Amino acid sequence: MTGLRWGILATGGIATAFASDLRTAGLDLVAVGSRSQESADAFAARFDIPRAHASYEALATDPEVDIIYVSTPHPMHHENARLALEHGKHVLVEKAFTINRAQAEDLQRLAADKGLLVMEAMWTRYLPHMVRLREIIAEGTLGEIRAVMADHTQSLPADPAHRLNAMELGGGALLDLAIYPISFVWNLLGEPTGIQASARLIETGADAEVATVMTHEGGAISTTLSSSRAAGPNTASVVGTKARIEIDRVWYSPTSFRVVGPDGTVIEEYRSEVPGRGMQYQAFAAEGAVERGDVSGELLPLPVAESVGIMGTLDEIRRQIGVTYPGEE
């Protein structure tokens, strides 16, 4: 590891999970920034963080910080990541990367101009079971991949003011939940050549359910289903001409999978043994990219160019289902 000094921007639930995993992994967490000193102090005390800042600007200008994890709601990602980049910090940005492709492209350009890493915190990509899954596919065990299927379905609060339902906070299943299976599909099959999307919108205008059927190079098909109002199996499958992979619940977190032949024979079984939630693996990847000088992220499981492309896919899905966030043209 490079010994990068981490700062965390914002102090919500996902920041808490990330800080816990950084501490579990022994990485150097040195600062936190919040919109209030009280919140920053409480977070710092919980995780034994030496520097607590009462503003995001103070965190971004802290000379003792090398890389900042941005954990604010989706509509703030662009502004907050830009602030960090402008002050010379590498950035790990919570998913979804931004709220649209234009914002993602802006971050990509700024990071390239400054020679800094900007990386989407799609932690699932970096988990050990996903590393092994990609190895199996690369070895040719599955043959030609013909289909990928995944759901991300949860029963979450129905309160219209809740972040998941508030349009001004990027609410809806798409950016919070569907980003997982759609990113997974991109990882395995590449950019879709065709997209068909359907959704159910709630009273706030947010999507409570969204489903996609996408085609990819070579004719492979992917299907995804995401919901914020109903809990489903949360499993995934990768189907090839020689074998398939069945990923158990919850597929996007540390779990188990099986490689199964056409006759039902189990060829390989994998079980995860991961300390904590597993968010430290994306931090390892970010530090490794900086150490290699790979700030463009070309060697990462999720390079910034792919994050930009995924935001373009989400833009097209939103166009089809009729979802526009406040402030968008």
Side-chain angles (χ1 to χ4, degrees):
M1 294 297 100
T2 60
L4 291 180
R5 298 167 297 180
W6 286 84
I8 293 182
L9 190 151
T11 57
I14 196 70
T16 297
F18 185 67
S20 179
D21 282 350
L22 284 188
R23 283 290 181 240
T24 296
L27 298 185
D28 197 10
L29 177 54
V30 302
V32 61
S34 180
R35 290 175 295 181
S36 75
Q37 191 67 58
E38 181 181 12
S39 177
D41 287 342
F43 194 91
R46 180 175 180 181
F47 294 105
D48 193 24
I49 300 171
R51 305 165 75 83
H53 297 291
S55 71
Y56 300 153
E57 291 79 7
L59 175 66
T61 56
D62 187 337
E64 299 299 315
V65 173
D66 302 309
I67 183 168
I68 291 177
Y69 169 67
V70 172
S71 65
T72 44
H74 313 303
M76 293 78 169
H77 288 178
H78 177 251
E79 176 186 352
N80 298 154
R82 214 173 202 289
L83 174 70
L85 290 167
E86 286 172 343
H87 288 92
K89 312 301 186 188
H90 302 291
V91 184
L92 178 65
V93 188
E94 249 313 311
K95 78 289 172 242
F97 193 46
T98 52
I99 64 164
N100 56 44
R101 180 170 185 144
Q103 290 185 351
E105 288 175 337
D106 181 64
L107 293 182
Q108 182 185 28
R109 283 191 300 265
L110 179 59
D113 289 346
K114 290 187 169 291
L116 295 167
L117 176 75
V118 61
M119 174 178 147
E120 185 178 1
M122 178 46 71
W123 61 292
T124 297
R125 290 276 189 107
Y126 302 93
L127 291 172
H129 76 287
M130 287 296 175
V131 173
R132 180 57 190 147
L133 180 147
R134 289 192 293 269
E135 290 172 349
I136 290 168
I137 292 172
E139 291 162 1
T141 304
L142 302 190
E144 184 180 357
I145 298 177
R146 302 311 311 150
V148 176
M149 299 161 283
D151 81 303
H152 188 175
T153 47
Q154 297 189 39
S155 181
L156 299 171
D159 180 0
H162 189 277
R163 180 184 67 81
L164 267 296
N165 306 310
M167 293 298 288
E168 66 273 16
L169 295 177
L174 187 67
L175 294 193
D176 257 278
L177 306 178
I179 181 64
Y180 283 87
I182 290 170
S183 179
F184 181 55
V185 165
W186 256 84
N187 185 206
L188 299 186
L189 298 178
E191 182 174 6
T193 56
I195 302 170
Q196 293 182 328
S198 182
R200 180 178 72 89
L201 306 186
I202 57 174
E203 64 275 12
T204 65
D207 54 292
E209 283 87 34
V210 58
T212 67
V213 177
M214 298 187 284
T215 52
H216 304 263
E217 185 177 356
I221 293 176
S222 68
T223 62
T224 76
L225 172 65
S226 300
S227 174
S228 62
R229 296 294 177 88
N234 288 304
T235 57
S237 299
V238 183
V239 180
T241 54
K242 295 181 180 179
R244 68 183 182 272
I245 294 177
E246 300 173 347
I247 313 176
D248 293 326
R249 177 180 179 89
V250 174
W251 70 267
Y252 51 83
S253 64
T255 189
S256 55
F257 69 74
R258 289 162 306 287
V259 183
V260 182
D263 63 354
T265 301
V266 176
I267 300 169
E268 176 178 334
E269 188 164 4
Y270 183 96
R271 294 187 179 276
S272 295
E273 294 183 8
V274 171
R277 191 179 188 213
M279 299 182 76
Q280 65 269 34
Y281 294 99
Q282 64 185 346
F284 294 153
E287 292 204 5
V290 172
E291 184 177 34
R292 294 189 304 270
D294 179 34
V295 292
S296 66
E298 293 179 5
L299 302 179
L300 291 169
L302 183 54
V304 64
E306 190 168 330
S307 293
V308 170
I310 290 169
M311 291 313 307
T313 294
L314 299 183
D315 284 354
E316 172 58 20
I317 292 169
R318 287 198 295 119
R319 186 193 69 79
Q320 290 187 23
I321 66 176
V323 170
T324 302
Y325 301 120
E328 289 188 304
E329 295 181 359

